[in-house]
């Protein structure tokens, strides 16, 4: 019966007890009812109280419980009157407990409401105090304005902004410029009728002298308890100084501080605008770099250098004064001129000569006349729709090509050369990753006597197996690595790899040094370490120095050469051209071999005589003449006739390998 009671009661309400636990509790209550039937009926009230405590308070809980208890009483006793008393006491206990529960819940709710109301009152008080504090001490002008536009309250900051002692009794009509009143009224109306929750405008206000000044005005609407608009809250900032400062900062961000010319950002913006416009005669871009400007700054000081830059800016502006042009300073000693060509715009050649003439006119500082020249890259007739970054990249590449020809040179943009150089630069940029991933190897190329019978030495070279560009030979690898600064670590690695391979053989190993390697202050240390780590004898290593580096006075290369020679390392001279100074170097430095550039065509009798004498001079100085490179047997034969000793190239080895070449 207790289990049946538990099932029926659990269906009428949520009871936070398990089914087994509920059945146990109800079993105990049946025992109480049984005791009430045989004893005092009033103890049955405990059953009703316990039902409420167990949360058996659903709509049908009491009815189901009475049904079960009626069956239990009928089973336990024949005294129906006593049974009715017991059930009545149980119901009375249930009712009393329910009443107590309701009262307890009402009290709890009441206390919660009181606490919430107290918290709201405290928050409201704190909020009002914060508002009053902000109202009194804020640097922003604050005004409480009625719905009809009358100023109800205003803080001191607003009086200061309005340059008035007080604003009592004034309206918005008295403060706002008549021309701006309709705008403000419309904005406030949008707040009043809930079209917007906050508005911002920049009206002009009237001070006490009737002078107009612009402010930033922000407004919101404050509502009453019935959610009806009560008044407006206006916040006013005098941003006239801020506006001036913003304008000044914007100017500074777009102009060079020294010369006052537009800077790169401004030029780029203007260039982009012109590239997307229709200009009948096109646009021309001149990119200038002052030649040897460091001579002025290092020799006469930075202050004189700055004055020269200002002078260049003035003279360029004068050259293009009659044109619709923008003269800009890009950075350092680089300038650019963007010209919107017209029917009377001079051609490029005339413009360049005018620029050169103006810049060549000396200016005197302390009795010393100073003048400059410039290398110039020119992009004539720019194509509409181009990207500014690409245009500036092309102008920079054009300028660099002009500078490679010497000082005071200029050149026109060449798209084909641009594409070729861009591809080379792209290869140079990814070369470090290719080296790390193992795409770059050390290969070995034999240097042979011209009769082909004896191998003089084996030269180590770099070889890049590029997955897209194909095999990249040594000279190009070296050129790119030298250009990017990778040559120093790459050269030390090449020497080490070559020495490790050569250590197991008896022939001479030759490694050609670039200019940066020859001048490296760490060269001697690196060579010593490689020889010590690999076990290669110093007498089996030949290092080729660029001869023009050795000819430089006070060069690090000359010191390196002396130390390496003292170690017993053989020295070679690369890029030998046969001048008297170079021959003297060969003799004075004890150079073992000199390398001369090969020729594609057989020289005539006069040139042959000169080359033969040159080779003889080298022999007398104690050097061996190596020709680089020899393409075929015919070249080998006539170089042999001239007296050259050895050579390197396809006629001896078509494809250098990563392993040491086998002896013939």
């Amino acid at each position: 019966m207790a289990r049946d009671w538990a099932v029926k009661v659990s269906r009428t309400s949520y009871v936070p007890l398990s089914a087994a636990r509920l059945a146990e509790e109800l079993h105990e209550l049946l025992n109480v009812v049984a005791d009430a039937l045989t004893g005092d009926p009033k103890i049955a009230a405990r059953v009703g109280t316990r039902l409420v405590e167990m949360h058996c308070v659903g709509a049908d809980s009491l009815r189901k419980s009475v049904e079960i208890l009626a069956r239990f009483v009928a089973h336990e006793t024949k005294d129906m009157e006593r049974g009715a008393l017991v059930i009545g006491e149980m119901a009375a206990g249930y009712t009393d407990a329910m009443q107590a529960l309701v009262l307890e819940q009402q009290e709890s709710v009441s206390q919660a409401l009181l606490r919430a109301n107290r918290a709201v009152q405290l928050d409201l008080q704190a909020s009002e105090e914060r508002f009053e504090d902000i109202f009194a001490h804020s640097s922003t002008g604050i005004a409480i304005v009625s719905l009809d536009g009358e100023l109800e309250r205003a803080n001191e900051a607003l009086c200061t902004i309005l340059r008035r002692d007080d604003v009592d009794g004034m309206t918005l009509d008295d403060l706002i410029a008549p021309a701006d009143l309709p705008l403000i009224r419309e904005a406030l109306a949008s707040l009043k009728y809930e079209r917007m929750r906050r508005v911002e405008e920049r009206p002009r206000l009237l001070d006490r002298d009737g002078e107009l000044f612009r402010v930033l005005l922000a407004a919101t609407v404050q509502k009453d308890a019935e959610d009806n608009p009560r008044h407006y809250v206006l916040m006013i900032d005098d941003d006239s100084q801020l506006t001036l400062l913003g304008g000044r900062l914007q100017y500074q961000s777009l102009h060079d501080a020294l010369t006052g010319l537009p800077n790169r950002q401004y030029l780029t913006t203007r260039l982009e605008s012109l590239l997307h416009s229709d200009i009948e005669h096109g646009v021309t871009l001149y990119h200038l770099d002052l030649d040897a400007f460091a001579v002025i700054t290092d020799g006469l000081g930075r202050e004189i250098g700055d004055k020269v830059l200002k002078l260049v800016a003035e003279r360029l502006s004068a050259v293009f004064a009659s044109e619709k042009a923008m003269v800009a300073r890009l950075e350092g000693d680089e300038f650019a001129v963007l010209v919107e060509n017209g029917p009377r715009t001079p051609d490029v050649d005339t413009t360049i000569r005018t620029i050169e003439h103006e810049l060549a006119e000396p200016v005197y500082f302390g009795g010393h006349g100073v003048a400059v020249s410039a290398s110039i890259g020119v992009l004539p007739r720019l194509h509409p729709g181009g990207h500014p970054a690409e245009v500036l990249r092309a102008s920079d590449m054009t300028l660099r090509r002009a500078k490679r020809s010497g000082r005071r040179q200029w050149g026109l943009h060449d798209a084909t050369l641009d594409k070729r150089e861009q591809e080379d630069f792209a290869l140079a940029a990814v070369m470090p990753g290719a080296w790390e991933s193992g795409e770059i190897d050390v290969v070995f190329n034999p240097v042979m006597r011209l009769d082909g019978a004896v191998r003089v030495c084996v030269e180590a070279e770099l070889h890049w197996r590029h997955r897209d560009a194909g095999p990249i030979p040594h000279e190009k690898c070296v050129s790119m690595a030298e250009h990017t600064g990778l040559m120093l670590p790459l050269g030390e690695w090449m020497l080490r790899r070559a020495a490790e391979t050569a250590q197991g053989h008896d022939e001479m190993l030759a490694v050609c040094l670039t200019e940066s390697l020859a001048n490296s202050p760490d060269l001697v240390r690196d060579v010593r370490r490689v020889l010590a780590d690999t076990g290669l004898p110093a007498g089996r290593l030949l290092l080729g120095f660029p001869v023009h580096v050795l000819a430089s006075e006070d060069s690090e290369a000359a010191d390196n050469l002396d130390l390496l020679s003292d170690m017993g390392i053989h020295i070679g001279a690369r890029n030998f051209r046969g001048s008297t100074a170079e021959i003297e170097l060969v003799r004075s430095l004890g150079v073992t071999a000199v390398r001369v550039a090969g020729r594609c065509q057989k020289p005539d009798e006069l040139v042959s005589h000169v080359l033969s004498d040159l080779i003889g001079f080298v022999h007398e100085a104690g050097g061996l003449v190596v020709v680089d490179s020899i393409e075929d047997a015919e070249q080998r034969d006539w170089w042999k006739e001239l007296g050259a000793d050895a050579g390197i190239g396809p006629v001896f080895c078509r494809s250098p390998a990563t392993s040491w070449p086998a002896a013939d």
Side-chain angles (χ1 to χ4, degrees):
M1 188 170 289
R3 287 194 296 271
D4 186 30
W5 190 4
V7 171
K8 290 183 177 181
V9 169
S10 63
R11 292 174 179 173
T12 64
S13 66
Y14 169 72
V15 181
L17 296 174
S18 65
R21 181 61 182 164
L22 179 60
E24 291 178 3
E25 290 284 345
L26 295 179
H27 186 273
E28 291 298 324
L29 295 183
L30 287 177
N31 289 335
V32 173
V33 172
D35 293 341
L37 289 174
T38 58
D40 185 2
K42 291 182 179 181
I43 65 174
R46 289 160 34 199
V47 176
T49 301
R50 182 58 182 157
L51 287 174
V52 174
E53 291 174 352
M54 292 190 298
H55 209 266
C56 299
V57 292
D60 293 334
S61 291
L62 181 59
R63 183 172 59 79
K64 295 295 183 182
S65 297
V66 170
E67 290 177 359
I68 294 295
L69 292 177
R71 286 168 48 200
F72 180 73
V73 168
H75 181 270
E76 293 294 321
T77 182
K78 300 299 183 180
D79 188 350
M80 291 299 104
E81 181 180 355
R82 191 172 185 81
L85 288 173
V86 169
I87 293 177
E89 290 293 339
M90 184 277 297
Y94 183 90
T95 302
D96 290 343
M98 281 295 297
Q99 186 177 8
L101 177 63
V102 170
L103 290 174
E104 181 183 353
Q105 291 177 341
Q106 288 177 344
E107 179 66 19
S108 177
V109 170
S110 177
Q111 292 296 324
L113 288 174
L114 288 173
R115 289 193 297 272
N117 184 57
R118 178 61 178 166
V120 169
Q121 293 296 328
L122 291 174
D123 287 345
L124 179 60
Q125 181 181 352
S127 177
E128 290 176 348
E129 291 175 354
R130 286 194 297 269
F131 174 78
E132 290 299 328
D133 186 60
I134 294 172
F135 189 86
H137 300 100
S138 174
S139 60
T140 297
I142 303 175
I144 308 298
V145 181
S146 66
L147 297 181
D148 58 4
E150 183 178 352
L151 271 68
E152 297 177 353
R153 289 185 65 190
N155 64 353
E156 290 186 11
L158 181 60
C159 295
T160 302
I161 292 172
L162 294 173
R163 302 174 184 87
R164 298 175 183 271
D165 296 331
D166 62 70
V167 292
D168 292 342
M170 301 188 72
T171 66
L172 293 179
D173 293 359
D174 301 325
L175 301 178
I176 299 176
D180 295 338
L181 267 175
L183 176 68
I184 299 303
R185 287 172 177 164
E186 176 63 26
L188 295 180
S190 66
L191 292 174
K192 181 178 179 180
Y193 297 108
E194 299 184 343
R195 293 194 296 269
M196 298 184 68
R197 298 183 61 184
R198 185 176 188 272
V199 294
E200 285 189 6
E201 298 293 345
R202 298 176 62 85
R204 291 166 298 169
L205 300 189
L206 290 162
D207 65 9
R208 64 185 175 190
D209 299 323
E211 296 292 331
L212 294 175
F213 62 98
R214 195 169 294 277
V215 298
L216 175 63
L217 183 149
T220 59
V221 67
Q222 192 175 52
K223 298 182 178 182
D224 58 20
E226 285 73 32
D227 203 32
N228 295 316
R230 183 179 177 184
H231 50 237
Y232 303 112
V233 179
L234 272 58
M235 289 165 285
I236 298 173
D237 281 305
D238 182 2
D239 67 343
S240 55
Q241 294 297 322
L242 185 61
T243 301
L244 291 174
L245 178 60
R248 184 60 182 169
L249 289 175
Q250 183 180 17
Y251 178 88
Q252 291 177 353
S253 69
L254 296 176
H255 290 78
D256 174 52
L258 177 65
T259 63
L261 294 177
N263 59 15
R264 179 183 288 272
Q265 180 180 350
Y266 198 172
L267 178 76
T268 303
T269 302
R270 181 62 178 158
L271 179 58
E272 183 174 18
S273 175
L274 292 178
L275 290 175
H276 291 82
S277 61
D278 185 14
I279 299 176
E280 181 180 356
H281 298 281
V283 179
T284 298
L285 177 64
Y286 296 87
H287 191 164
L288 299 86
D289 185 27
L290 302 184
D291 296 327
F293 182 68
V295 171
I296 297 175
T297 57
D298 293 345
L300 302 178
R302 173 56 63 181
E303 183 179 355
I304 299 298
D306 288 345
K307 291 180 179 180
V308 170
L309 291 175
K310 291 180 182 179
L311 180 68
V312 170
E314 293 172 2
R315 291 185 175 180
L316 288 176
S317 298
V319 169
F320 294 94
S322 61
E323 300 294 329
K324 193 174 182 181
M326 173 185 280
V327 180
R329 182 188 178 196
L330 299 184
E331 56 200 4
D333 57 351
E334 287 189 36
F335 294 82
V337 184
L338 188 62
V339 182
E340 299 178 47
N341 298 323
R344 297 183 179 179
T345 299
D347 57 43
V348 171
D349 184 64
T350 301
T351 302
I352 295 292
R353 282 189 280 109
T354 303
I355 293 173
E356 291 175 343
H357 175 75
E358 287 294 327
L359 296 183
E361 183 69 24
V363 60
Y364 288 85
F365 301 104
H368 300 286
V370 177
V372 294
S373 64
S375 299
I376 307 173
V378 185
L379 274 67
R381 306 280 181 178
L382 295 175
H383 299 294
H387 194 281
E390 285 299 310
V391 172
L392 292 175
R393 181 198 60 77
S395 73
D396 191 55
M397 296 180 72
T398 304
L399 173 62
R400 284 203 301 270
R401 280 198 298 273
K403 291 174 67 174
R404 286 199 291 267
S405 300
R407 306 294 186 186
R408 198 172 175 172
Q409 300 293 323
W410 67 277
L412 292 173
H413 173 243
D414 187 319
T416 303
L417 289 177
D418 264 9
K419 186 175 185 302
R420 188 182 308 160
E421 286 190 357
Q422 188 175 8
E423 291 173 352
D424 289 344
F425 291 154
L427 287 174
V430 301
M431 194 174 185
W435 177 29
E436 184 176 1
S437 63
E439 293 181 22
I440 298 177
D441 286 328
V442 175
V443 296
F444 297 93
N445 204 358
V447 180
M448 304 293 296
R449 285 282 183 180
L450 293 185
D451 57 11
V454 179
R455 194 154 66 191
V456 175
C457 62
V458 175
E459 183 174 299
E461 298 179 345
L462 294 173
H463 181 74
W464 183 358
R465 304 183 311 278
H466 195 281
R467 57 178 177 271
D468 297 322
I472 300 176
H474 173 75
E475 288 302 326
K476 190 169 184 178
C477 287
V478 167
S479 174
M480 291 187 294
E482 189 79 350
H483 187 72
T484 60
L486 183 65
M487 197 62 230
L488 289 179
L490 188 61
E492 193 272 339
W493 171 81
M494 177 179 68
L495 176 61
R496 181 174 296 275
R497 290 288 296 271
E500 289 172 349
T501 304
Q503 194 276 335
H505 303 275
D506 296 329
E507 295 174 277
M508 180 85 70
L509 169 66
V511 177
C512 291
L513 304 178
T514 63
E515 183 173 351
S516 63
L517 283 171
N519 281 308
S520 172
D522 298 326
L523 176 63
V524 176
R525 182 203 65 186
D526 291 342
V527 172
R528 288 183 187 276
R529 186 178 299 168
V530 167
L531 295 180
D533 293 345
T534 62
L536 181 71
R540 286 186 45 219
L541 178 62
L542 185 151
L543 296 179
F545 282 73
V547 70
H548 72 278
V549 175
L550 297 175
S552 301
E553 295 183 3
D554 301 324
S555 68
E556 189 79 28
D559 295 337
N560 287 336
L561 184 144
D562 290 339
L563 294 172
L564 293 171
S565 295
D566 292 342
M567 293 168 55
I569 294 173
H570 299 280
I571 303 299
R574 298 177 53 232
N575 305 324
F576 186 80
R577 302 187 184 281
S579 67
T580 304
E582 290 179 349
I583 295 174
E584 288 295 330
L585 275 174
V586 170
R587 182 166 58 183
S588 63
L589 298 177
V591 172
T592 302
V594 299
R595 176 175 291 198
V596 299
R599 297 172 57 92
C600 295
Q601 296 181 348
K602 183 177 181 179
D604 58 25
E605 184 176 351
L606 177 61
V607 174
S608 296
H609 181 72
V610 172
L611 289 174
S612 179
D613 288 344
L614 171 63
I615 293 170
F617 291 147
V618 173
H619 287 163
E620 290 181 10
L624 191 72
V625 177
V626 179
V627 183
D628 181 12
S629 75
I630 299 179
E631 303 292 331
D632 52 41
E634 183 181 0
Q635 292 181 31
R636 180 195 61 197
D637 292 342
W638 52 256
W639 272 109
K640 183 180 178 182
E641 292 174 4
L642 292 174
D645 303 291
I648 188 172
V651 70
F652 303 114
C653 178
R654 285 287 177 186
S655 180
T658 56
S659 58
W660 194 268
D664 293 336

